[in-house]
Amino acid sequence: MSDGATQSFVDKWLAVQPQQRVALGFVDPAVRDEHVALAAFEQEIIATAYGIREPQVAAAKLQWWAEELAGAAASGGRHPLTKVLFASTRAARVPAQAWLAPVLAAMAQLEQGTASDFAAQVAAARHLHGALAALETAWWFGADAPSEAATQVATLSHLVFALSRLELDADRERLPLPMSRLARHGLSRSQLKTDSPARRDAVRAQLRELSGALRAALALDEPLGTFRGLEGRTARATAHGAARATEPFAELHRRQSRTGPATALRAWAAARRAGRLG
């Protein structure tokens, strides 16, 4: 994208998912900018939902987005990303409710606490990431396309990323590890900040469960956009590899920033699936 205001938001998305730079080469240049704009928009909502520590500040920003999206079809939008999105003919085929659903879901989970177990953790994260997946699937493939695979991949990939922030988020209300995992390994909040055999075992168990769930999600015979497909494949490989490491948390961080021939193969496979099922 040549527009500086828009590019700054794209750069924030790529900073979180550096592997997507490789995926850009596998997306049709005729529609690349609008697909990238949607991915950057999704990152803005996610960053607001999880990155702003003051719930009132996050709620105010999300309220602005709700008002922006509610009127964008008529006005064309004010935000640089909204302008790109609603200038595309794809915007008209996305139901109005699908644009607002992620913002409303983000608002609803602002003061969410730590989940009781892994199933509850997935269910809680699914509200926001499922809404984003439904929007994204309608954008890429049409309003009638199924979005269960995208929902599962989006939710589980987020939980892999959230786990990488374990030390940073140890003091927050919502922890990246569910309460049952903490109890099973005898961990307190303060013990999440430093390496220990118990923390390694808890992180390893979480990664194994995420890896298995991602493998099942990617096996569903439903369309995934190229970026989502690469994200899921990367998250699954990251979780699987880190779970097998002696120091799983350190390996999780190493793998998240790693790109190479395997990334290109995953991007190619994601683009091929998007074309075949879309």
Side-chain angles (χ1 to χ4, degrees):
M1 289 186 172
S2 58
D3 180 75
T6 305
Q7 186 62 46
S8 66
F9 295 103
V10 175
D11 289 342
K12 287 196 284 184
W13 166 59
L14 292 173
V16 176
Q17 294 194 44
Q19 74 277 5
Q20 299 294 0
R21 292 186 184 276
V22 179
L24 295 175
F26 292 91
V27 179
D28 182 357
V31 295
R32 183 188 299 146
D33 281 0
E34 56 194 47
H35 285 330
V36 167
L38 183 68
F41 162 74
E42 290 183 20
Q43 181 57 39
E44 282 299 297
I45 300 302
I46 291 170
T48 302
Y50 299 114
I52 299 177
R53 289 183 176 264
E54 299 79 12
Q56 298 86 352
V57 177
K61 187 171 182 179
L62 290 168
Q63 181 59 42
W64 185 91
W65 271 113
E67 294 171 1
E68 169 78 349
L69 294 168
S75 68
R78 296 166 291 171
H79 193 280
L81 293 175
T82 316
K83 290 178 180 179
V84 175
L85 292 170
F86 283 84
S88 170
T89 56
R90 290 175 184 268
R93 72 186 192 184
V94 176
Q97 183 181 0
W99 289 106
L100 288 173
V103 179
L104 298 177
M107 287 181 178
Q109 61 85 62
L110 283 178
E111 299 189 65
Q112 204 173 71
T114 301
S116 59
D117 55 27
F118 183 75
Q121 186 181 33
V122 172
R126 181 184 172 100
H127 292 297
L128 170 54
H129 296 278
L132 289 169
L135 167 62
E136 172 188 302
T137 302
W139 175 269
W140 278 74
F141 305 109
D144 295 331
S147 61
E148 179 59 26
T151 292
Q152 292 186 29
V153 168
T155 301
L156 297 164
S157 297
H158 162 70
L159 293 178
V160 173
F161 176 78
L163 187 59
S164 73
R165 293 181 53 85
L166 181 63
E167 292 179 354
L168 295 173
D169 291 343
D171 293 325
R172 303 191 74 168
E173 186 66 27
R174 176 174 44 215
L175 295 173
L177 288 173
M179 297 302 294
S180 62
R181 193 91 66 198
L182 299 179
R184 186 174 301 120
H185 297 278
L187 287 167
S188 65
R189 282 180 175 270
S190 61
Q191 291 173 315
L192 297 178
K193 296 181 180 181
T194 56
D195 184 34
S196 68
R199 194 186 78 166
R200 292 183 189 184
D201 288 344
V203 169
R204 187 176 290 111
Q206 181 81 352
L207 286 166
R208 285 172 177 161
E209 202 148 8
L210 286 166
S211 175
L214 276 161
R215 180 175 58 187
L218 289 165
L220 294 175
D221 194 34
E222 291 184 2
L224 292 172
T226 300
F227 302 141
R228 185 66 70 196
L230 175 57
E231 179 189 43
R233 284 171 168 80
T234 301
R236 199 266 160 171
T238 296
H240 180 70
R244 300 172 66 185
T246 303
E247 299 181 4
F249 187 69
E251 184 64 17
L252 174 60
H253 276 268
R254 281 193 289 269
R255 286 176 172 268
Q256 281 189 321
S257 59
R258 184 183 301 169
T259 58
T263 303
L265 288 172
R266 292 182 196 120
W268 171 81
R272 186 169 179 267
R273 174 172 176 158
R276 178 174 62 87
L277 294 179

